Amino acid sequence: MIVEKASEVLERYQLCDHCLGRLFAKLGKGTNEERGKAIRFVLNMERAKDGLPPVEEPKECELCNNVFDRIPELVENMKEAAKDVEFETFLVGSRFPDEVKEKEKAIWDEFGIETAEPINREFNRELGKAFGRATGKDTSKSPDVVFIVEPYSGKIELQINPLYIYGRYRKLLRGIPQTPHPDFEESVASIICRPFSRATGGKCVFKGAGREDVDVRMLGNGRPFILEIKRPKRRNINLEEIAREINASGKVEVLNLRFTTPDEAERVLSTPHRKEYLALVLVKEGVTPEEAEEVAKKLTGLEIHQRTPWRVRKARADKVRVRRVHYAEARWIDDKHFELRLITDGGLYIKELISGDKGRTKPSVSDLLGKPAWCERLDVLNVLDEERSEDSS
C-alpha cells in the first residue's frame, strides 16, 4: 500500500527523498530521507519488473525546493549568530513560508495521507542534529538558547533564555530599600545585581520573596530571592566569587546562591513563609515587666484582622487580611520599653500590629495593653520554611 500511494504521489509531484519519506513518517523507524530512499528503491524495482523507467529523485523538489541541502550553510549562520554567547543547550525552530505549508497539506488531502509529519518538524530535527554535531552542543526542552531559522532567506533569530539564580539575602544596615528608590543611592537589588550584570553581560532583575521596610534589617537565615538574568552572554559564572564581592559591601550579604529553574523560581516567590521578628516596643505611658509578659501571652496563637495599613494604602489593595501570631515572647527593658520576639504568618504588618494603626489592625499590642504603643525598631530575624515554622510555633 505504501508503494502504491507513493507511486500515485510521484506521478503528480516531483518530490525529493525527504519529502517523499515524510509522507510516511509515522511508519517505521529511521530518518525521512532514508525512508524516502527505501520507498523509491522498492517502487523502482516494481517498475523495472513491469518494464517501466525508474522514478529518480528530481534535481529540484517541487515542494521544498531542496531546502534540506541548505543545512550546512545554515549551521554556519547559526554559529555566527551565537559566536558571542555562552551556552550548552539549544533548540531549533523555523519559519517556513505559508505557501510551502499549504502545498504540503494539499498533497496530504489530495491523496488521503494520514501518516505524514510537517516539513518544519523534520527540518528542525535535522538542522538541530547537524548543529549539534558541528558544535558539540546538546538539545534540551529547557534550552539556554533557541535558534529561529528562516530556511530560504538564511536569516537567524537568536533567543537567549534567561538565567535564574536562587539565594537568600541579609540586609545588615537600616536605611536601604529593597528595590531602587529615587530617595536612596543604593538598594538591596542594586548591590546584588551589579556584579551579576558584569559577570553575565545580561540585564539582572531582582525579585524578593516579600520585602521589609527601609528602616528594618533582614538578619538570620536571610530572605529568599530570585534573580532573572535576561539575555545573558555568559552563563558559566562563579557564584562563590560573586557572593564574596557582594558580602564585602558590608551592607548586604547573600547566602546559598545556586542556579535554579523558572518553575522553582515561581514556587519560591509564590510560597508564603512565616517570619520571625524582633521588635522594640515603646510605651510612653510606661510599661511593667508583668504587662509585657501578659501581652506576649495574649498574642500567642491570636488571629489578627488587619486592614491594609494607612501608610501603604496607595500601593496595596485596600482590604482586610486575616493573619495569625503563632508565638510571642517578651523581654522587659525599662519602664518605657520592652522587646517582642514574634513568629507570624507572612504578610502581617508588624508595626501596625503594635500601634493598631488607628483601629485598622485588631487586636493590636496597644489594644492588649490598654494604652498606645509604637514600634521603635524592627528586625526580621528569620524567614522560616514551612517545616521549620511548624517546629518554632
Side-chain angles (χ1 to χ4, degrees):
M1 294 294 292
I2 294 174
V3 173
E4 290 177 11
K5 186 70 71 175
S7 178
E8 292 176 18
V9 173
L10 293 178
E11 285 179 12
R12 176 82 170 79
Y13 298 98
Q14 300 237 332
L15 300 182
C16 67
D17 288 336
H18 282 277
C19 292
L20 175 60
R22 197 168 58 255
L23 296 175
F24 308 98
K26 297 178 183 178
L27 304 176
K29 296 182 179 179
T31 69
N32 287 328
E33 183 182 25
E34 292 167 345
R35 186 177 293 106
K37 286 181 185 297
I39 292 170
R40 196 183 301 272
F41 178 76
V42 174
L43 171 61
N44 285 335
M45 286 179 64
E46 295 283 346
R47 290 176 66 85
K49 184 181 69 173
D50 297 333
L52 298 172
V55 181
E56 304 289 357
E57 185 175 23
K59 290 185 177 180
E60 184 169 342
C61 178
E62 191 174 338
L63 175 57
C64 76
N65 296 111
N66 297 11
V67 73
F68 290 89
D69 292 344
R70 299 201 62 195
I71 284 179
E73 172 193 348
L74 293 170
V75 165
E76 293 305 312
N77 291 357
M78 292 164 66
K79 288 163 66 176
E80 178 65 22
K83 66 180 181 180
D84 296 325
V85 178
E86 188 177 84
F87 68 98
E88 293 302 324
T89 58
F90 71 97
L91 273 184
V92 175
S94 57
R95 294 194 184 105
F96 272 81
D98 289 341
E99 54 265 31
V100 173
K101 294 185 289 184
E102 289 166 3
K103 186 169 186 177
E104 179 175 62
K105 189 174 184 307
I107 294 174
W108 300 349
D109 294 342
E110 182 179 350
F111 295 97
I113 293 172
E114 299 178 352
T115 55
E117 73 170 344
I119 186 171
N120 62 299
R121 190 176 299 170
E122 179 190 7
F123 185 82
N124 296 348
R125 184 172 60 248
E126 295 302 320
L127 181 56
K129 287 193 293 187
F131 185 77
R133 286 192 299 268
T135 61
K137 309 295 185 183
D138 294 320
T139 57
S140 168
K141 291 182 179 179
S142 301
D144 296 336
V145 298
V146 178
F147 295 91
I148 305 299
V149 180
E150 293 183 8
Y152 297 102
S153 70
K155 181 181 176 183
I156 309 293
E157 177 185 321
L158 181 63
Q159 297 178 359
I160 306 174
N161 284 337
L163 190 60
Y164 293 92
I165 294 158
Y166 165 89
R168 301 177 85 107
Y169 76 82
R170 296 188 186 117
K171 187 176 80 175
L172 306 179
L173 303 179
R174 305 184 196 281
I176 303 174
Q178 187 190 70
T179 52
H181 189 282
D183 295 336
F184 297 86
E185 290 183 4
E186 289 186 305
S187 64
V188 172
S190 66
I191 292 170
I192 293 175
C193 272
R194 200 175 296 127
F196 275 98
S197 294
R198 281 199 304 269
T200 63
K203 179 182 178 182
C204 177
V205 179
F206 174 95
K207 302 173 184 179
R211 62 195 303 132
E212 67 284 334
D213 289 341
V214 171
D215 60 346
V216 175
R217 293 184 301 175
M218 176 66 243
L219 305 174
N221 66 349
R223 183 182 298 279
F225 68 90
I226 295 293
L227 298 182
E228 180 183 359
I229 314 293
K230 297 184 177 183
R231 294 191 63 80
K233 291 185 177 180
R234 293 174 294 279
R235 307 181 86 90
N236 295 320
I237 56 176
N238 189 318
L239 297 181
E240 291 183 2
E241 283 186 7
I242 292 175
R244 282 195 292 271
E245 181 178 348
I246 294 168
N247 296 349
S249 70
K251 302 172 183 178
V252 173
E253 290 181 351
V254 291
L255 318 168
N256 306 335
L257 291 182
R258 59 178 168 82
F259 298 103
T260 188
T261 64
D263 287 343
E264 187 190 10
E266 180 63 29
R267 286 196 298 274
V268 168
L269 297 174
S270 61
T271 300
H273 295 274
R274 294 180 185 180
K275 313 286 195 311
E276 181 181 2
Y277 297 93
L278 184 65
L280 179 63
V281 180
L282 168 65
V283 186
K284 290 183 178 178
E285 294 179 15
V287 63
T288 65
E290 293 76 18
E291 286 177 314
E293 288 183 14
E294 185 65 20
V295 165
K297 187 175 179 181
K298 290 179 178 177
L299 276 175
T300 298
L302 195 61
E303 188 175 83
I304 308 297
H305 292 252
Q306 188 168 68
R307 186 176 176 185
T308 301
W310 187 256
R311 64 188 168 93
V312 298
R313 68 194 185 283
K314 294 181 180 178
R316 301 283 188 275
D318 189 8
K319 62 180 182 180
V320 174
R321 298 169 177 83
V322 179
R323 298 289 188 268
R324 186 174 296 277
V325 177
H326 296 278
Y327 178 82
E329 179 181 73
R331 185 174 75 89
W332 186 80
I333 295 176
D334 58 37
D335 59 2
K336 291 188 178 181
H337 294 90
F338 69 97
E339 283 185 342
L340 266 181
R341 188 172 75 85
L342 303 165
I343 295 176
T344 76
D345 284 340
L348 179 63
Y349 292 87
I350 302 303
K351 293 175 181 177
E352 284 71 21
L353 171 65
I354 293 170
S355 71
D357 198 24
K358 298 181 180 178
R360 294 169 76 90
T361 295
K362 289 184 174 293
S364 65
V365 171
S366 294
D367 293 335
L368 299 177
L369 276 172
K371 45 192 165 184
W374 290 270
C375 181
E376 194 166 84
R377 188 179 67 227
L378 181 64
D379 290 325
V380 186
L381 296 183
N382 286 294
V383 176
L384 300 170
D385 298 325
E386 285 305 303
E387 61 271 21
R388 289 183 59 192
S389 62
E390 292 294 339
D391 295 341
S392 300
S393 64

